[in-house]
Amino acid sequence: TRGLDLAAAAEIRARLRGVTQNGGCVVVTSADLRELFDLCDRIVVLYAGRIAGQVLRPDFDLDRIGRLMTLGQSAA
């Protein structure tokens, strides 16, 4: 939704939620963690062409996901 006006971004988010509420699946790509935290049930981070980690909604943590995005690893 980057670059869209607020109303258009809200409409897109509402449509994505509608799909998932009706049993569908949506793949979202974004570097905007706030948007991902709002929309996603799971975040899979790719780093250097590989899956660096997967985090489920109950475990969403800005620092943990940020480390995966920038270092390809989470801290122990």
Side-chain angles (χ1 to χ4, degrees), residues 33 36 42-56 59-60 64-75:
L33 288 179
L36 294 174
R42 157 191 348 223
I43 296 175
V44 177
V45 178
L46 300 177
Y47 183 86
R50 296 182 181 259
I51 295 176
Q54 174 179 206
V55 184
L56 300 178
D59 300 320
F60 282 4
R64 179 179 177 192
I65 294 172
R67 280 190 300 275
L68 290 170
M69 292 172 70
T70 57
L71 302 173
Q73 62 188 9
S74 60

Side-chain angles (χ1 to χ4, degrees), residues 22-61:
N22 288 312
C25 176
V26 176
V27 175
V28 177
T29 60
S30 179
D32 182 345
L33 288 179
R34 290 173 296 181
E35 184 170 58
L36 294 174
F37 280 26
D38 181 46
L39 290 172
C40 299
D41 295 320
R42 157 191 348 223
I43 296 175
V44 177
V45 178
L46 300 177
Y47 183 86
R50 296 182 181 259
I51 295 176
Q54 174 179 206
V55 184
L56 300 178
R57 176 175 289 284
D59 300 320
F60 282 4
D61 175 84

Side-chain angles (χ1 to χ4, degrees), residues 4-24:
L4 296 177
D5 65 68
L6 294 176
E11 175 65 22
I12 289 171
R13 288 185 188 104
R15 288 182 185 216
L16 294 175
R17 285 189 191 97
V19 169
T20 59
Q21 289 170 353
N22 288 312

